Amino acid sequence: MLGFRRYLIVFSRFKIVTLRKDKKEADFFAFVDLLKHPATILDIGANLGIMTVHLGKKFPAATIHAIEPIPDNLAVLYANIRRYRLKNVEVHELAVGDEEKTVKMVLPVQGKTRMQGLSHVKHESITEWNEGDEFEVQCTKLDTLFPQEQVDAIKLDVENFEFFALRGGIEIIQRTHPVIYAELWDNENRVKCFDLLTGLGYTINVVENGILVPFDPLNHTQQNFIFLIGE
C-alpha cells in the first residue's frame, strides 16, 4: 500500500531510532566506540543509510563516505541524509571491487518480496540470492576513489563481495591502517578476507558479552568482525 520506496523510508527510520536497542547491532556500536576523533569513515554498502545516520551524528567533525549503488536504496539514503540534516555525508553512487568496470547487481526477489538488504554484485563466487531485479552500475577500486585520504575506519557490508572490495583498497589499508568492521558469512569469502587482512598485519576480533576478544573459530559463531592492526 505504501509503495516500495515509501516502505523503505518508514522501515529505515524505525531502525534508525531503535538501532541502539537492537542487541543484534551491539557489534556495530562496539566498533563505533573504538573510534576516537576520526576524520574519515567509509560506509561501504550504506544501503538505506541506517548506520550512515548514526555515524554522521556521532562524528559531526568527520566526513562519512557512503557508498551505495542500488537506485531504491540511494533514494532512501538521500532522504535520510536530508531528514537528519547531515552535512558531513558524501554519497558515492557506485560499487567497489578490485577492477574498474561496469558490473551487474541484483536486488533479490523472493515471491513478491524484494530483499533489498541482500542486494549484491553478480559474481561467479556468489551462488545465493541471484534471482531478482538487475542493474548495471559502475564499479571502482577504493584505492582509485580515495588515493590521498587518511581513512580512519571502514564499515563493510556488501553481501559476499567483501574480499574484492578489500583487495581494491589494499593501498589505503596498508597506508592508513583503518579499523575495519565487516559482516562476513561463513564461507570462502570470509576465509579470503581473513587471509588478506591478517597478511596485512590485522587481528580478527569479535564482540563477546560486550567485550572485544580474539576470534576463536571453535567457539564463536558470529558473522560480525572487527579487524585491528596488530601491535
Side-chain angles (χ1 to χ4, degrees), residues 70-106:
I70 296 295
D72 286 320
N73 292 351
L74 279 166
V76 179
L77 172 61
Y78 280 119
N80 282 326
I81 290 170
R82 292 192 298 270
R83 168 66 177 81
Y84 291 94
R85 300 180 181 179
L86 297 175
K87 304 298 184 183
N88 59 336
V89 176
E90 296 184 12
V91 178
H92 304 267
E93 300 183 8
L94 40 72
V96 292
D98 60 351
E99 296 182 89
E100 309 283 339
K101 64 178 184 179
T102 300
V103 297
K104 285 189 176 181
M105 295 197 66
V106 60

Side-chain angles (χ1 to χ4, degrees), residues 160-190:
N160 287 309
F161 204 64
E162 287 83 5
F163 170 69
F164 304 100
L166 290 170
R167 191 161 68 175
I170 285 179
E171 292 178 14
I172 286 176
I173 294 169
Q174 288 179 316
R175 176 169 51 84
T176 66
H177 298 151
V179 179
I180 300 173
Y181 172 76
E183 178 183 332
L184 303 172
W185 299 7
D186 188 3
N187 56 23
E188 185 180 1
N189 170 64
R190 177 192 286 187

Side-chain angles (χ1 to χ4, degrees), residues 45-65:
N47 202 264
L48 306 178
I50 295 167
M51 291 180 177
T52 313
V53 169
H54 279 271
L55 291 169
K57 290 170 69 67
K58 174 72 174 180
F59 303 110
T63 299
I64 316 299
H65 292 281

